[in-house]
Amino acid sequence: MLWLGGAVLALCAGLLVIAGTPTVWLGRQVTDTPVLPMPTRAEAEALLNQATGFARAHDYAGLCQTVAQDAGACQKVLDRADVSHAAPSSAPPAVEGAISQPDRDTVQGAEVLHIRGTRADGTSYTADFSAVRTPDGQVRSQNAVYWFSSLDKPA
């Protein structure tokens, strides 16, 4: 009987340890953190307007620090855009459509704006401007350098 009591105690202690730590279920970490809502189209458009304002002012540090989800990645894309002589024009891009991409597996959900615009040199571009919600509730873009894709090749 003492052995059975010890087994039950060990099982209860094990459950307490498991309950007190994040666990993984179907590839996702389960925590007590509430699920944040995806950005709305209005929030994504407001973020694009903010990005356009920084670009018009040539405040690229502000663009990366304030609009981008990852400031370091934003700076790398800016560096590539500079090498390619791709600069934004003063005219904001037109939003041609949007799509909501909900969370799935380990991919973060986003509101994606399909945009079309013209660069300062007159070349046109189409791009997807994605808005995501950060863990602290802010709306940021995964591609704040909306006029240039990291896949574009230097001229």
Side-chain angles (χ1 to χ4, degrees):
M1 189 73 169
L2 181 59
W3 178 84
L4 181 59
V8 170
L9 183 60
L11 177 63
C12 290
L15 288 175
L16 285 174
V17 169
I18 290 172
T21 60
T23 57
V24 176
W25 182 70
L26 295 178
R28 292 193 117 177
Q29 186 172 358
V30 179
T31 65
D32 293 334
T33 305
V35 176
L36 297 170
M38 280 185 14
T40 64
R41 180 171 177 165
E43 288 175 309
E45 288 182 359
L47 188 64
L48 177 60
N49 289 338
Q50 190 177 18
T52 301
F54 281 114
R56 280 182 174 163
H58 304 285
D59 182 0
Y60 301 119
L63 175 74
C64 289
Q65 292 298 321
T66 307
V67 175
Q69 180 183 24
D70 181 335
C74 177
Q75 186 58 54
K76 288 178 184 175
V77 175
L78 277 172
D79 292 344
R80 286 188 52 104
D82 186 48
V83 167
S84 297
H85 307 290
S89 70
S90 59
V95 177
E96 296 190 327
I99 186 169
S100 296
Q101 295 179 334
D103 285 352
R104 56 181 161 51
D105 297 329
T106 59
V107 179
Q108 183 178 13
E111 182 68 18
V112 181
L113 303 177
H114 304 299
I115 61 174
R116 178 180 301 277
T118 305
R119 295 182 186 103
D121 65 1
T123 59
S124 62
Y125 64 88
T126 58
D128 288 339
F129 182 83
S130 63
V132 297
R133 194 166 308 276
T134 62
D136 62 357
Q138 296 181 25
V139 176
R140 296 292 178 103
S141 179
Q142 294 172 321
N143 49 333
V145 186
Y146 58 87
W147 66 93
F148 185 80
S149 167
S150 62
L151 301 176
D152 288 342
K153 294 179 175 43

